[in-house]
Amino acid sequence: MENINHLLVVFTAYVIAAGSPGPSTLRIMGVAMTHGRQAGLALAAGVISGSLFWGLSAATGVSALLARYAEALFVLKVFGGLYLLYLAVRAARSAMTSGPATSTGPARADTPPSSAALYRHGLIMHLANPKAVLAWIALVTLGLGAEASWHDVATILAGCAVLSVTIFGGYALVFSTAPMIRIYRRARRGIEGVLAAFFGFAGLRLLFSRV
C-alpha cells in the first residue's frame, strides 16, 4: 500500500508537470488546429519521445551527470531559448497577416509539413529544454529511494510513458476536432498573437534564468 501511494504521488506530479500549459502543449494545440489530427499526433510523438529520453537518462543517472556540468545546461538553455524566440517571431508574423497561418509548423499552412518534419520539430523542442532535464531528475529522485530496484525504475518509466501518450496525444486529438478548428479559424490572428507573446516570454525567461 505504501508503494502504491508513493507511485500515485510520482504520477500526480508528472501529470501536473506535463499537462500544464507550456511551449510543447501550446505547439501541439496550434498544429492540431491548423493541420489536423495526424499532424498534431506527429508533433506529440516527438514531444513524447523527447520526454521519455530525458526520463530514461534521469533513471540511469545520465541527466544527473549532465546537470553537474554548467556548460552543458548553458548550451541547452541558449539553444532552447533561441528556438522559443524563433517560434515567437513566426507566430507574430502569422498574427500580422490576414491569410492562412504559417507559424504552427516548419512549413506553410498551404503545404502541410510532413509527419517526419513535425516529429523532429517536437523532439528538438523537448530535448532543447533544460527544464525537462531538471524536472525528470526531481521526479526520479522523488520516486526512487536508496533501495530502489530496476523493477521500481521500470514501473515509474512505464507509467509516465502511458501518461505522456495520454496527455500529449489527448491535446492533439481534442484540438483537431471540427469545433476547435472552427474556433481557430475565426480567432486565428488573436490566437497567434497570444502564442507569440507566450513563446517570446518563455524564450526570454529561459535565456535569462539561472538553470
Side-chain angles (χ1 to χ4, degrees), residues 90-187:
R90 287 180 64 89
R93 290 176 59 186
S94 178
M96 291 185 289
T97 62
S98 56
T102 62
S103 74
T104 51
R108 292 180 58 86
D110 54 353
T111 55
S114 67
S115 295
L118 285 166
Y119 176 84
R120 289 194 302 269
H121 182 60
L123 181 63
I124 291 171
M125 183 167 54
H126 214 73
L127 290 182
N129 184 5
K131 301 286 188 182
V133 183
L134 300 178
W136 266 107
I137 291 175
L139 193 68
V140 169
T141 302
L142 174 67
L144 300 178
E147 300 178 359
S149 65
W150 278 105
H151 178 268
D152 298 325
V153 175
T155 300
I156 289 176
L157 289 179
C160 288
V162 172
L163 291 172
S164 184
V165 171
T166 303
I167 292 168
F168 295 118
Y171 271 105
L173 292 176
V174 169
F175 284 88
S176 63
T177 57
M180 296 306 301
I181 292 174
R182 285 197 295 270
I183 290 172
Y184 176 78
R185 287 175 177 170
R186 287 198 298 266

Side-chain angles (χ1 to χ4, degrees), residues 27 91 122:
R27 289 294 285 170

Side-chain angles (χ1 to χ4, degrees), residues 83-93 192 195-197 199-201:
Y83 193 66
L84 287 174
L85 292 180
Y86 163 74
L87 297 181
V89 170
R90 287 180 64 89
R93 290 176 59 186
E192 294 289 346
L195 289 177
F199 288 135
F201 172 76

Side-chain angles (χ1 to χ4, degrees), residues 12 18-19 35-36 38 51-52 56 71 77 116 132 136 139 144 146 158 164 172-173 190 196 201 208 211:
T12 300
H35 297 298
Q38 182 177 343
S51 179
L52 295 182
L56 186 60
E71 297 83 359
K77 182 180 77 167
W136 266 107
L139 193 68
L144 300 178
S164 184
L173 292 176
F201 172 76
F208 291 102
V211 174

